[in-house]
Amino acid sequence: MAEDALGKTVKQLKRERTTAKSSFTRQANFITRGVSSMLEAELKDEFTKLSDCLRQLLDANDDYRMGLLAEIKKPEEEEEEAVLEKQQEGDIERTENEAETKFEEVKDIVQTNLWSRYGKNELKTAIIEAENACDQANNVVVESTNLECYEVHLTLLEKRIKELTTVMSAWERWIPALLKDELDNRVKDLRTASNRLEHKRAEFVTARRIAEQMRATEVSGGWRGRALPTPATPIVKIKPTTLPIFNGCKREYHRWRKDWESLQRQGEPTGSAEVKKLQLLDRVEDKISKDLRLSTYNTAEDIFRVMENRFPSQAGEDTTCEGEPAKESH
């Protein structure tokens, strides 16, 4: 008997399956009707609920089948396998197939909507930014004076690869099948290129060492036959200070910029425009950098000009931080 095996009658099990089927159908229809008006997080959440409804329906369908089998199985037939009637078996299979087909239909709708509205641009932007960072690092000429510049490029590339990995993980489920291989290969190529560029660092270190040895040889040869020079005053090397990060607070912008430029000049006395730009991008919060598309500008001065327009802090201007309510004037 079904009640002995499952603790419920066949009638109860069938009612539970009907309830699960109704919940699944309502959730599927809700998503289908409102898919275009839902935001990314809301749509993902509703699809997760649909997945849970499907699981509950399939479990209830299996329990109903087991109840039917237990109901027709007689004690003297314990070693024999019970078989459902053709109509009952067809009802069980039809319920399962219809639910899975409906689920795939809704999944395709959700995937198309999420990918076209959110995932496509986010993932492709992350890939392009990483590819650009890779190209910039690869274009640095191997010279002794370029070691620091190259290391800045590698740091930026590592940051872009991590961002890409996070975005790829978030959207992997929703990438259309026709694009998946292409995007996977681009990400794989970037990781390979990143490893190769990391190994290339040794070439810059070697170039620096050779240049230092040549300078030492020239100095040694130049002083032959001359009186020894007065010992130079020892130079105390100060550990470089970390450049400050701008978090979007308008009233702090001008103070941050002044501190950043002062410390950046101390840490990078060569005045390299490329290094300055990369260091600036690294010290602006990612959300601000992406919102203002700062990585698309050529120089640090261009970036500062854009930020100056976004974060004015002069008399009469709004001096609140991003996300803070504006203060009322009295």
Side-chain angles (χ1 to χ4, degrees):
M1 298 291 291
E3 195 167 4
D4 296 334
L6 301 173
K8 298 176 184 178
T9 65
V10 170
K11 188 175 181 180
Q12 289 174 316
L13 293 171
K14 186 175 183 180
R15 189 183 307 119
E16 289 182 357
R17 187 186 72 161
T18 301
T19 301
K21 185 185 296 185
S22 178
S23 297
F24 172 78
T25 302
R26 280 199 306 272
Q27 183 65 17
N29 291 339
F30 173 74
I31 293 176
T32 303
R33 287 194 299 267
V35 63
S36 60
S37 61
M38 294 184 194
L39 298 177
E40 175 189 341
E42 184 182 7
L43 191 50
K44 288 181 177 179
D45 183 56
E46 294 300 335
F47 185 77
T48 299
K49 292 179 183 177
L50 181 66
S51 300
D52 293 338
C53 288
L54 175 65
R55 189 178 303 109
Q56 292 170 11
L57 173 55
L58 296 180
D59 289 344
N61 195 48
D62 288 340
D63 289 345
Y64 178 56
R65 185 177 189 280
M66 292 171 61
L68 289 174
L69 290 172
E71 196 70 18
I72 64 176
K73 194 171 186 179
K74 299 178 181 179
E76 60 271 17
E77 299 175 346
E78 288 185 0
E79 295 184 359
E80 298 181 10
E81 183 178 353
V83 178
L84 296 179
E85 295 180 4
K86 187 175 181 180
Q87 181 181 0
Q88 293 174 325
E89 191 67 49
D91 175 56
I92 298 291
E93 292 181 358
R94 183 168 56 254
T95 297
E96 179 178 339
N97 292 337
E98 288 178 352
E100 291 180 342
T101 299
K102 185 65 175 178
F103 180 80
E104 290 301 321
E105 289 176 0
V106 177
K107 181 182 177 182
D108 288 342
I109 294 173
V110 173
Q111 180 186 46
T112 300
N113 193 279
L114 281 174
W115 181 252
S116 62
R117 290 170 61 195
Y118 302 105
K120 179 181 178 180
N121 290 336
E122 188 175 344
L123 183 54
K124 288 196 172 182
T125 297
I127 290 177
I128 290 173
E129 288 185 349
E131 288 175 340
N132 289 340
C134 185
D135 290 340
Q136 290 171 1
N138 192 50
N139 290 335
V140 178
V141 179
V142 179
E143 294 179 353
S144 62
T145 55
N146 286 343
L147 175 58
E148 288 77 9
C149 177
Y150 188 70
E151 289 178 340
V152 171
H153 278 288
L154 287 185
T155 300
L156 180 61
L157 175 58
E158 181 182 1
K159 180 180 178 182
R160 295 289 180 253
I161 293 291
K162 287 181 179 179
E163 291 172 350
L164 173 57
T165 300
T166 301
V167 174
M168 188 71 175
S169 177
W171 288 105
E172 189 169 13
R173 179 181 184 180
W174 305 106
I175 299 174
L178 293 176
L179 295 175
K180 188 166 179 55
D181 286 344
E182 175 196 342
L183 296 176
D184 282 343
N185 287 335
R186 288 177 71 179
V187 173
K188 188 183 299 181
D189 290 344
L190 275 168
R191 292 199 177 104
T192 301
S194 177
N195 292 333
R196 176 176 54 78
L197 291 171
E198 181 65 33
H199 294 152
K200 188 179 176 182
R201 186 201 302 264
E203 298 179 26
F204 287 86
V205 174
T206 300
R208 171 67 60 83
R209 185 171 62 250
I210 292 173
E212 290 176 348
Q213 290 174 348
M214 291 178 64
R215 282 196 296 270
T217 301
E218 291 173 359
V219 170
S220 175
W223 285 104
R224 285 179 183 173
R226 302 185 187 181
L228 293 176
T230 304
T233 304
I235 299 175
V236 179
K237 291 188 178 180
I238 301 175
K239 184 178 180 180
T241 305
T242 302
L243 297 176
I245 297 177
F246 181 60
N247 61 7
C249 189
K250 293 183 180 180
R251 60 172 168 263
E252 297 291 337
Y253 171 72
H254 283 277
R255 183 191 305 169
W256 164 81
R257 177 174 176 176
K258 181 179 178 181
D259 293 343
W260 187 92
E261 289 182 321
S262 175
L263 293 171
Q264 197 274 339
R265 281 193 297 269
Q266 296 176 31
E268 179 53 37
T270 64
S272 169
E274 184 66 21
V275 171
K276 185 176 181 181
K277 172 194 169 183
L278 294 172
Q279 289 179 331
L280 178 56
L281 289 174
D282 188 54
R283 306 315 289 174
V284 176
E285 283 196 350
D286 288 342
K287 184 179 184 303
I288 300 171
S289 181
K290 289 180 180 178
D291 288 346
L292 300 181
R293 301 175 61 84
L294 298 182
S295 62
T296 62
Y297 294 93
N298 296 325
T299 66
E301 286 66 30
D302 291 338
I303 294 173
F304 276 130
R305 185 162 51 253
V306 173
M307 295 180 69
E308 186 77 27
N309 292 333
R310 178 67 177 272
F311 302 102
S313 186
Q314 305 298 331
E317 297 286 354
D318 178 15
T319 57
T320 58
C321 294
E322 293 269 305
E324 285 187 6
K327 295 182 180 179
E328 296 182 1
S329 58
H330 297 282

